[in-house]
């Protein structure tokens, strides 16, 4: 793996197919599930069934699936507010997530968290955080805990490229590098922070080079090619579990939609042309082509997959709609730990 | 007078002050090309260009410090916090530098800066995005804290804040931006530190600010049908607090309810209670009661959120209690 | 009972709790090889090694977040802030994560963490190093705020804080570290949320905490010679506040002075006044008065600094006024 | 100037003497003045004439003098709490600084600031700041103001190497690089942050390499050789005034004394041997040798210089002792601007 102290950006290209072929179907289904889920969430939002802020993941599916599919069940995952896709990839059910977006008692945060605050402790899914960069030190903290307990767990932290300019990024990566924590820091580089393009917010645009400040490898990865993402993930996890320290991945991807439901996909800060161009390397289409080439997918199989995903998402929406609101008394619970269970 | 939204009133204040003084500039996330996350700065980049309307990276501590530094040299920055929740990351520069630099330097170096943006809760934004921090900033000597509730006050107070030679924490409200009202054109200055009687009344005083002003007026309306004539006093400025206006009203009504958006413990209302019981102990016919957010992080669910928030119903109920009419 | 300094009482609490529970670790600047900037962690590195006594870079936001993250996995970190002034840089992690994670996650994820270090002013450290922020933390639901005034309370409360399953803001005092007192050996736990009558009295209640306890006792001593018998109530915990203990004392004395180190506006004292006038309105024979820091950034000059600080003389004067003996 | 994206540390060696020979005498005198002033301050502190924290600059004199001697009168200087030397180099009188340490009304901050908060607006000396890293965004802000006003002023920001691990460093340098601000960021790398050696606080010890994250040159400089410091300063200022943007200087120096007056020079965290070794390249001795080689200094001249410096510091101490305390009313002034002078 390239250490980032040299100038040339390292782009991980499609790797050999062999090792992963058996998992393509699962990956493809999960990417379709994420996309369909997000489309449905967008519909629900636009008719007021979902409130607050809602940030969709459409276009970035290969990043979450490629990275999370390679994790151990006891590893930790943490992200920002654009985390529906990562939550699904980590195995939280569409029902529990959709119900959370609806604010229902059956949601994965009991209706108290919402779209930006999805949690599932049993799956090591640690949120869902709304303050840009705030999850980066937390991710380093999970890695610290893994090192403390000698469990060889990995802590996987997702954040947007705009978060690479905030102080917590610098402080957390320095300590992670200094202490060789088993952490993998993922810049989900979709090119924009709200309406601000990378070149207007970062003094350098090859963000993987920042790894050099922290004594860790920095790798640029093609985020539309799930195989490239998966390969980068495995290298980074192996390094982390071996006690060799953290890795910074700069994963280049695209956000097909607006920053949030209240932002247009194109217009003010990016052109329709740019947006259309970005869709040319669609992560789902790329994997489908790869599978067809390898004779692992035909129209019938794809149709069946798409149909089952649609059904699962429809079921999740129905479940969310029919689920009860939290009890009024829930307003007052979960502020403090139940008494009598001191450590 | 033109009828403007609170948003456009702020925009007008910014435009007029930037036209008036070339040292005034606006800096923050998405303020320029995006016209502001809440469109408060619409059109300003076009009119004033990229040195005076400046998009920043997401780095609240850093650009707050850049603003403070530039103010130490005599520029008059307006630093937009996309919301005040994010200002927690910048609070060291606000509290340890902006508020103290004049004092630490023995009066040599001033800091004419405005930090502005929406505070408090909107709708279903969850615990991290729904916080009212005015009591925190008001706690700090060296800061002024301004919180307009109407479009006219928004314009007049922002203009005064920009001309003020001290650091001003200017807290708006996402839920107020679309509020419409009459706004005087041109040179309309509302002085910092002066409260405003939004409704005159005889029986009880409702002290409020920012997002609790409208509910207080609604409560007063409802109560008038029950024969309770409530005075609604809008603080407009939290620091310096208009103590005379508060005591004047209390001397008239002898009963007080303080309504604020934030949490109760050591909130702004607690300070007002302290003032009243100290300075008007014998005027009071009943204990002062407070209305505030439920003492919990803000929940996402819309019904729980509604139950958590201060509103007209809760204000009216508190008024009935201080009037012993419940 | 052994006589220990406040510093060594804290050290004993840390050592005992780290011996008791392998999930407890200490992290912060200079806590390990340097034995702590104020030597509170002396000897701990030697006994527990570098994974449990951890020196950090100067990165308050980062290591506070690392602590919070590790607590989310069930570890029980004690995060030392070299002083609470520097915690302003970390306050986003304390307020937006530690205080809210349990609520936002619907009760799934706890955060058993202690943030500790000296708060308030020492001697001539200037404006940026002399601030008391307890009212800020106490404002936030989800945080407990503990401020021991004696060696025994320091040990007993720190042990309770470390065993508490919630985030605890534990504020010590540089000026208290050398204070000596009797400290019970071993399993000495002082419950969080329970105030303590440090001196019983009939005529007036002086409510204080942390660094105002000693001056309050001195004032009480002086006042007794004037025939004023003051009760001194040490809050020990700011949040949850021991409201019963306060109201019990007020019901007895009918007169109250609240003394705190920090600034007045929306300070802890304001909340106590709010409580008393609401719950004990008819018990009061005089308005509650407050003693606090002058409403200015702390000056460096020693005479100005002395004039700015709350002390026994100011407390005694306030007591005479509430007793109408001045 | 070397851009820091390559691995090899660039150490600036002694430059040619010619261009600076005329200034050696002034530099030497200022370095002696700083050292003697600090010795005297230390004495005053130990007998209680100075209170609070007091951080001495002994050993680092060439850094302040080399950098500040090359500034224009209208440039800005800002530092942390170890700033007596920089204040002297910027021309604040020993009287005004010593009086401030004594907390007297005649001090450069009126007795309200103290050792950590020295100010002189007329000289563009903007403090004296006590929160580690807090002055870095402020320094970027002065540079922003210079760019805004098109004045070609430079903003010079001093901070310790330990401050290079805090978020404000990252945020400020990124914006300075992004906006090509006329700023020079100086890591005064004395090897320790209190008791913590660089290698225990930073994931990489060649801190000048961090400049690569911000698209600016990063240069390692021998901080004991004032000529090397001065050369690095001139290159960086020229770049800044030309609108080419900021520079990060990693200036290697030594703190001969403890972190503050309450910390021993050696013992707990560094050995007596290490400390003695560091004194072998004393910045004052090095310049004296250079001057003697060039025939610019003899014993008589040196004795005279030392005597005049001693007299000036003694006068400053007397002045401080005899100066009045601030009026009691000063407690309440300077919180807000005088009213009636709105902008
Ligand atoms: C500290 C902070 N500042 C500002 C915001 C408002 N905000 C929310 S998302 C966002 C853009 C983040 O962009 P990026 O990190 O690239 O993530 P993306 O949205 O592209 O996934 C901003 C400015 C915030 N939530 N937190
Ligand atoms: C934010 C913050 N954290 C901690 C401190 C306490 N502190 C003061 S100086 C210092 C060490 C700084 O070392 P360095 O930056 O290398 O500067 P030097 O003292 O060596 O000149 C620390 C930890 C502080 N003042 N501010
Ligand atoms: Mg992005
Ligand atoms: Mg250092």
């Amino acid at each position: 793996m390239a250490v980032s102290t040299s100038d040339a950006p390292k782009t991980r290209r499609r790797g050999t197919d062999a090792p992963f072929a058996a998992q393509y179907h699962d990956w493809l289904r999960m990417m379709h599930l994420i996309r369909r889920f997000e489309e449905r969430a967008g519909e629900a939002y636009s008719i007021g069934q979902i409130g607050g802020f809602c940030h969709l993941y459409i276009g970035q599916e290969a990043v979450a699936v490629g990275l999370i599919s390679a994790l151990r069940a006891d590893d930790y995952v943490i992200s920002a507010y654009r985390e529906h896709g990562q939550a699904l990839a980590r195995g939280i059910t569409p029902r529990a997530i959709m119900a959370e977006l609806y604010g229902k008692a059956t949601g994965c945060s009991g209706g108290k968290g919402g779209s930006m605050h999805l949690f599932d402790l049993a799956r090591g899914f640690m949120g869902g955080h709304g303050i840009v960069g705030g999850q980066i030190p937390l991710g380093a903290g999970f890695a610290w805990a893994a090192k403390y307990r000698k469990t060889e767990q990995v802590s996987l932290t997702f954040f947007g490229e705009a978060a690479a300019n905030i102080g917590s990024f610098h402080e957390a990566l320095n300590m992670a590098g200094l202490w060789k924590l088993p952490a993998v820091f993922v810049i989900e580089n979709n090119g924009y922070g709200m309406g601000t393009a990378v070149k207007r917010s970062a003094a350098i645009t090859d963000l993987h080079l920042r790894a050099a400040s922290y004594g860790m490898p920095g790798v640029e990865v093609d985020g539309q090619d799930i195989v490239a993402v998966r390969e980068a993930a495995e290298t980074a996890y192996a390094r982390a579990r071996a006690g060799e320290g953290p890795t910074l991945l700069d994963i280049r991807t695209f956000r097909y939609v607006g920053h949030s439901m209240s932002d247009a996909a194109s217009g003010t800060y990016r052109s329709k042309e740019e947006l259309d161009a970005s869709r040319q390397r669609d992560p789902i289409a790329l994997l489908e082509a790869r599978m067809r080439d390898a004779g692992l997918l035909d129209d019938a199989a794809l149709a069946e997959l798409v149909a089952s995903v649609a059904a699962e998402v429809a079921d999740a929406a129905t479940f969310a709609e029919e689920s009860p609101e939290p009890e009024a008394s829930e307003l007052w619970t979960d502020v403090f730990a139940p008494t009598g269970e001191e450590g | 007078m033109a009828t403007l939204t609170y948003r456009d009133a702020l925009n007008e204040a910014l435009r007029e002050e930037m036209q008036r003084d070339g040292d005034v500039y606006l800096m923050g996330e998405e303020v320029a090309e995006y016209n502001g996350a809440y469109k408060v700065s619409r059109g300003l980049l076009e009119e004033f260009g990229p040195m005076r309307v400046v998009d920043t990276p997401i780095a609240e501590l850093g650009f707050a410090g850049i603003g403070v530094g530039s103010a130490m040299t005599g520029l008059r920055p307006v630093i937009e916090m996309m919301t005040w929740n994010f200002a927690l990351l910048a609070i060291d520069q606000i509290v340890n530098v902006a508020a103290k630099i004049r004092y630490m330097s023995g009066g040599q170096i001033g800091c004419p800066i405005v930090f502005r943006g929406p505070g408090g809760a909107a709708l279903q934004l969850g615990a991290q995005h729904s916080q009212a921090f005015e009591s925190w900033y008001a706690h700090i000597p060296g800061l002024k804290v301004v919180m307009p509730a109407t479009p006219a006050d928004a314009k007049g107070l922002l203009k005064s804040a920009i001309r003020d030679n001290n650091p001003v924490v200017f807290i708006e409200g996402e839920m107020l931006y679309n509020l419409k009202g009459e706004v005087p054109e041109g040179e309309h200055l509302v002085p910092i530190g002066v409260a405003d009687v939004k409704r005159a009344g005889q029986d009880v005083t409702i002290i409020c600010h920012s997002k609790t002003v409208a509910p207080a007026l609604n409560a007063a309306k409802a109560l008038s049908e029950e024969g309770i004539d409530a005075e609604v006093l809008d603080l407009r400025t939290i620091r310096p607090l208009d103590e005379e206006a508060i005591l004047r009203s209390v001397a008239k009504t002898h009963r007080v309810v303080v309504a604020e958006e934030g949490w109760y413990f050591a909130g702004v209302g607690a300070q007002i209670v302290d003032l009243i019981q100290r300075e008007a102990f014998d005027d009071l016919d009943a204990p002062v009661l407070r209305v505030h957010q439920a003492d919990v992080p803000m929940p996402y669910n819309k019904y729980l959120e509604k139950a958590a928030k201060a509103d007209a119903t809760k204000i009216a109920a508190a008024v009935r209690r201080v009037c012993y009419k419940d």
Side-chain angles (χ1 to χ4, degrees), chain A residues 4-26:
Chain A
S4 65
T5 45
S6 124
D7 273 332
K10 321 265 163 320
T11 303
R12 299 296 302 258
R13 295 261 153 268
R14 294 165 141 230
T16 53
D17 288 358
F20 304 121
Q23 302 170 54
Y24 285 168
H25 187 273
D26 294 351

Side-chain angles (χ1 to χ4, degrees), chain A residues 160-162 188 190-193:
Chain A
E161 82 295 332
E188 271 193 281
N190 59 16
Y192 290 89

Side-chain angles (χ1 to χ4, degrees), chain A residues 240-258:
Chain A
R241 294 194 210 282
E244 292 160 21
T247 300
L248 176 64
L249 301 178
D250 175 7
I251 304 191
R252 301 303 178 94
T253 183
F254 300 101
R255 151 166 70 76
Y256 290 179
V257 292

Side-chain angles (χ1 to χ4, degrees), chain A residues 53 55-57 60 80-82 116 129-135 159-164 166 187-196 198 201 255 258-260, chain B residues 29-30 37 56-60 63 81-83 85-87 89 128-129:
Chain A
F53 288 147
H55 310 83
L56 303 183
Y57 198 68
Q60 306 183 198
Y81 44 80
R82 192 183 303 284
M116 298 195 288
H129 295 266
I131 306 299
V132 165
Q135 76 276 26
F159 50 94
E161 82 295 332
I166 202 160
I187 301 174
E188 271 193 281
N189 191 339
N190 59 16
Y192 290 89
M194 287 187 78
T196 306
V198 184
S201 65
R255 151 166 70 76
H259 167 69
S260 72
Chain B
E29 294 154 6
E30 307 294 340
T56 66
I58 305 174
E60 280 76 8
F63 67 75
M81 291 291 162
M82 193 178 283
T83 85
N85 300 287
F86 314 142
L89 292 162
Q128 294 182 326
H129 278 70

Side-chain angles (χ1 to χ4, degrees), chain A residues 114-133:
Chain A
S115 167
M116 298 195 288
H117 304 302
L118 304 175
F119 291 90
D120 186 339
L121 182 60
R123 293 183 173 84
F125 195 82
M126 310 302 275
H129 295 266
I131 306 299
V132 165

